[in-house]
Amino acid sequence: MVYTLPGIRLNTLPSISHSGADRRSTVAASSSTNLSLLLRKTSLTRKFIAGRSESQSFIVGATEKVLDNSSSTEQLEALDEDSEHSKINLDEEQVDEINEKDFVASPVLVEDIAAMEEVDLVSLFDIDKESEEIRKLSIPPPGKGERIYEIDPLLSNHREHLEYRYSHYKKIREAIDKYEGGLEAFSRGYEKLGFTRSKTGITYREWAPGAKSASLIGDFNNWNPNADVMTRNEFGVWEIFLPNNVDDSSPIPHGSRVKIRMDTPSGIKDSIPAWIKFSVQAPGEIPYNGIYYDPPQEEKYVFQHPRPKKPKSLRIYEAHVGMSSTEPMINTYANFRDDVLPRIKKLGYNAVQIMAIQEHSYYASFGYHVTNFFAPSSRCGTPDDLKSMIDKAHELGLVVLMDIVHSHSSNNTLDGLNMFDGTDSQYFHSGERGYHWMWDSRLFNYGHWEVLRYLLSNARWWLDEYKFDGFRFDGVTSMMYTHHGLQVAFTGNYSEYFGLTTDVDAVVYLMLVNDLIHGLFPQAISIGEDVSGMPTFCIPVQDGGVGFDYRLHMAVADKWIELLKLRDEDWKMGDIIHTLTNRRWSEKCVCYAESHDQALVGDKTIAFWLMDKDMYEFMALDRPSTPLIDRGIALHKMIRLITMGLGGEGYLNFMGNEFGHPEWIDFPRADQRLPDGRFIPGNGNSFDKCRRRFDLGDADYLRYHGLQEFDQAMQHLEEAHNFMTSGHQYISRKHEGEKVIIFEREDLVFVFNFHWYNSYSDYRVGCLHPGKYKIALDSDDSLFGGFDRLDHKAEFFTFEGNHDNRPRSFMVYAPARTAVVYKLITDVVDPTPLGQHHVSLPDADVA
């Protein structure tokens, strides 16, 4: 189907199946919800949408004091300045002490694993009834919030701050329950604000307390500001009702352009509605236009496939739809659905994390300067195209995570929220506090009631309407601290996390949004991008934590770049182990060797650090390799495997990096002259470096193919053994002279030899389980671009006797720059004494 907007032609895919009724129609609420609604009607009939437009803070009750961030921090007494180092910061002696004990070293508690297994058994709602069923759910009330002190006794030294934080959270929950009918109802702000359709017409509401007058304009009324003038209530909400046409058709045609014209303190301005569901930039125009998106029922995409169950181990493929084509173009949701999703599934990943979904006027912002928070990016297609893409992912068994941006907003005043009602303080902090100088963007005021409604409803919208399975929250460190983590080195001292620089309002918002996510969508996943290592970050809100499921383990990628700048001789095995395992007990992490950050122009991917310009000339198998290429291919595989093996309970890879993508990412851009006179050259608006050359990884005559095959084998090994979430982890060896690392995950033994030329025959490997071992994964396999120095038919039998603090061991050949994973085949102890096992060796070693 093709439909046309004035000057715009948009394509959408044919609807696979249709529903005979509006699947988003309101259903009868449960008795508890009816009671909440009754309470709202009797106690707050005059307070429409609980706004308090005249204040940047909000009122908990008539007799309660105003809660704002300044008072929340100033009331805290000076905290103890004694150095208290977090459990996340273990020195190497402590790591050695830990490794001398045989214990469950994975930061997954036993009860967490049991809970994960229980989740797998939970039956899901029928996808066509999910929204109705979710409305009937009630989000559990706040708990005592005290289990954090059992998990980490050091937190007791900061109990005053943490108790204040939790009491602040509880007061907001109580206020939402009292004035809004609960968090479930509060998070459906999109059913009150923005455009809402009824049988008799369309209602449009907009919160713009700073505006003096407002009118709805668009194609439907020839942009006449006098045709549809809006009225304002006492809380700054503007409203208009447009009755159906005489033929009972919609007063605003589907696909037509709309804006709100306001007389503001900054002058007359036309803005895209803040709650708009779709916006488009017409060819040849700079500003975007809001689009009234309400296709006929028979053209709406209807979801067919249930959500996949939450996986025990997250293996995330980070992707950007627009740059996912092999051609220099902006790719579409439909092409991503048909071409890229099957690739992700084949590679063995179980989750896809989609970047740049929320509409952003500036393409080169990578989607992080959001202008329209409820609208999917129109560059890649329509909202229904996106729904079809997500449904296909679910059909393939892939969890779909959205890279959501609630940490800041675009500075754009034409298309976004900035200066929406002519003031700088509507959605954001005013003045310097509301501006992020490094990102050139606006910062939300999380202490404002309507900001909470807007952001919580935004999270709910993407989960409910589009069936996303969770979020990766961007820039959380910037949210949680008034210094935004800029020019601050976190050392692990607890005073850095629980002091006057902590933005309590922002932390409480994160607690609320995690309440919402997990309360209404129990299978949903929340990941926070936090570089600070804040304690309690991944502890449930009921226990006093912030409530995330995972923290991004961002230090690992930085460590690899640091090491790649050194000679191989200077790599410290203990340093690698320390970085990979240095994380908080019981708080899960998603690790990665590199993400999209390292792929951007101005930075380097791991493959580029390793092989540099040789990648352009020596990656064909019919041409001789070079020492740089051989080293690069070997270390590229080893770095990824050890990161997955020890770095966390989840793993992330940015698309194309699995095969060592040779190009950086450079968005199309024109030459630019800055106000200070400086000239910044562009790239001729070229898309050549804004794509992914998947054809290189698929070409079996190129060395990229071996890297891709290894990554696929690595993912499938984890799928078979779930070693990232294994209850058993033991690091038995990290030898600096030999450059060898050995560790166990469940019934697997990982052996890494990082030495650049030393290979070790009859090398003794300590292990826990007795029996027979065989090679499960070999980075030196010729299929993966290796030298085939190991015999994959060989069997390795254990013998009794302590070695590296393990009760038994077996003998292997450990070639230089090779990682090998050995799998336990039987649990039968082999009685053969030491020295009588034969290990096949190659005729010649390759240095």
Side-chain angles (χ1 to χ4, degrees), residues 139-155:
I139 297 172
K144 294 183 178 179
E146 295 183 352
R147 186 168 177 263
I148 54 174
Y149 307 113
E150 300 173 18
I151 296 171
D152 184 357
L154 285 178
L155 292 172

Side-chain angles (χ1 to χ4, degrees), residues 712-739:
Q712 179 173 325
M714 184 174 74
Q715 304 302 324
H716 283 286
L717 180 71
E718 207 290 323
E719 181 179 15
H721 295 272
N722 290 128
F723 58 77
M724 286 194 295
T725 53
S726 164
H728 172 68
Q729 171 183 301
Y730 191 89
I731 302 164
S732 59
R733 173 163 289 220
K734 48 178 182 178
H735 197 288
E736 298 296 350
E738 296 173 348
K739 301 298 181 186

Side-chain angles (χ1 to χ4, degrees), residues 1-5 8-12 278 280 291 378 381-382:
M1 182 270 290
V2 176
Y3 62 90
T4 305
L5 310 179
I8 309 169
R9 180 180 171 87
L10 293 176
N11 296 308
T12 187
F278 195 46
V280 169
I291 301 297
S378 59
T382 69

Side-chain angles (χ1 to χ4, degrees), residues 403-422:
D403 195 342
I404 197 168
V405 183
H406 282 181
S407 52
H408 63 131
S409 177
S410 171
N411 205 23
N412 185 326
T413 56
L414 289 176
D415 306 318
L417 296 179
N418 189 24
M419 302 292 290
F420 183 82
D421 69 348

Side-chain angles (χ1 to χ4, degrees), residues 611-624:
M611 296 177 278
D612 205 49
K613 64 180 183 298
D614 278 20
M615 296 176 70
Y616 295 112
E617 298 184 41
F618 301 100
M619 293 299 279
L621 291 175
D622 62 355
R623 297 192 62 181

Side-chain angles (χ1 to χ4, degrees), residues 206 208 260 262 269 271-272 274 416-422 426:
E206 194 73 71
I260 179 173
M262 293 175 285
K269 70 188 298 277
S271 296
I272 296 175
L417 296 179
N418 189 24
M419 302 292 290
F420 183 82
D421 69 348
Q426 182 186 0

